[in-house]
């Protein structure tokens, strides 16, 4: 079983709609969760971090965390063509042991926004 | 403030050749990391350094060596390149007392 799992996609969403990306993780002790966006040929760029159960909103992006069910999701409202990218979920189970943090990444979900 | 920089951007090697990938950050970050990214495999950690003078193996360290030259610089060396090391290599760094990683632009390496 992979430690961090994502549906590879592609996920196609009409412009203006809500894109929903999901991620599950296997280590119940995981404490920090991240969403990165990666455009083709570019490096990962941090979009959101979330540490507590519930929702965290930042502009058009909302991260949702449910530790009991071991999943984290990313919602993108009013999707734009510029949101077309691969979205990587990352998990850290050593938060607090600063200096030894290691993120485990999922393989990413490719999102395409259709104009 | 350039953030995390990597050189070179592209490199082609022949099997058995050696090379060093360079990474530097100007954000006074403590921890630095080297990843490789392959299609369908995601980002995999090769080595990391929690502070100047310390390095530790990640998930896929075989065939690589690293040097944390100072707080700013963290290099990755391939002593005898193999076609299996064809990949995109990313360096990342983390500010002190956080676990948020910031990535460099990457090096695309092809080993023939």
């Amino acid at each position: 079983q992979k430690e961090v799992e994502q549906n590879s996609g592609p996920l196609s969403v009409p412009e203006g709609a809500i894109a929903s990306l999901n991620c599950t993780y296997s280590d119940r002790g995981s404490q920090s969760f991240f969403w990165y966006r990666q455009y083709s040929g570019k490096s990962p760029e941090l979009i959101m971090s979330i540490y507590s159960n519930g929702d965290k909103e930042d502009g058009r992006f909302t991260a949702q965390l449910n530790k009991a069910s071991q999943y984290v999701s990313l919602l993108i409202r009013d999707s734009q063509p510029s949101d077309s990218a691969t979205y990587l979920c990352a998990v850290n189970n050593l938060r607090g042991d600063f200096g030894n943090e290691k993120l485990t990444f999922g393989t990413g979900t490719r999102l395409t926004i259709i104009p | 403030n350039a953030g995390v920089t990597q050189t070179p951007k592209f490199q082609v090697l022949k099997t058995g050749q050696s090379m060093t990938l360079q990474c530097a950050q100007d954000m006074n970050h403590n921890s630095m990391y080297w990843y490789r990214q392959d299609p369908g495999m995601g980002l995999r950690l090769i080595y990391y350094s929690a502070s100047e003078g310390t390095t530790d193996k990640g998930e896929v360290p075989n065939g690589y060596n690293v040097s944390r030259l100072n707080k700013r610089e963290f290099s990755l060396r391939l002593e005898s390149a193999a076609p299996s090391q064809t990949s995109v290599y990313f360096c990342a760094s983390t500010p002190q007392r956080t676990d948020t990683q910031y990535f460099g632009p990457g090096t695309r390496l092809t080993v023939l």
Side-chain angles (χ1 to χ4, degrees), chain A residues 2 32 34 36 38 41-44 46 49 51 88 92 95 98-103 105-107, chain B residues 31 33 35 37 40-43 45 48 50 56-57 90 97-105 108:
Chain A
K2 291 182 183 177
S32 307
F34 305 87
Y36 284 83
Q38 187 175 24
K42 301 296 185 181
S43 60
L46 180 69
S49 59
Y51 303 99
L88 305 173
N92 177 15
R95 187 165 192 245
F98 294 121
N100 288 304
E101 307 88 355
K102 287 185 286 186
L103 298 185
F105 285 83
T107 55
Chain B
S31 300
Y33 308 81
Y35 291 91
Q37 187 173 38
M41 302 292 289
L43 283 159
L45 183 65
Y48 69 103
D56 284 287
K57 296 178 180 179
F90 289 104
R97 300 196 66 76
T98 77
D99 52 3
T100 302
Q101 294 187 13
Y102 298 91
F103 285 81
R108 188 174 297 273

Side-chain angles (χ1 to χ4, degrees), chain B residues 58-73:
Chain B
E59 180 185 353
V60 288
N62 291 345
Y64 305 95
N65 286 302
V66 291
S67 295
R68 184 73 183 268
L69 305 171
N70 47 55
K71 191 171 186 178
R72 290 186 63 250
E73 298 172 291

Side-chain angles (χ1 to χ4, degrees), chain A residues 21-96:
Chain A
L21 303 160
N22 298 313
C23 171
T24 59
Y25 59 95
S26 60
D27 188 337
R28 191 169 284 278
S30 299
Q31 300 184 52
S32 307
F33 307 87
F34 305 87
W35 283 100
Y36 284 83
R37 177 177 62 198
Q38 187 175 24
Y39 292 115
S40 180
K42 301 296 185 181
S43 60
E45 170 192 13
L46 180 69
I47 299 177
M48 296 280 287
S49 59
I50 186 166
Y51 303 99
S52 303
N53 277 330
D55 295 0
K56 179 181 178 182
E57 187 174 317
D58 184 359
R60 296 186 296 112
F61 298 97
T62 299
Q64 299 176 317
L65 175 60
N66 184 323
K67 289 186 179 180
S69 300
Q70 295 177 241
Y71 82 79
V72 57
S73 61
L74 179 70
L75 301 178
I76 307 175
R77 290 183 299 282
D78 188 23
S79 296
Q80 302 297 311
S82 59
D83 295 326
S84 296
T86 296
Y87 289 79
L88 305 173
C89 173
V91 174
N92 177 15
N93 64 356
L94 287 176
R95 187 165 192 245

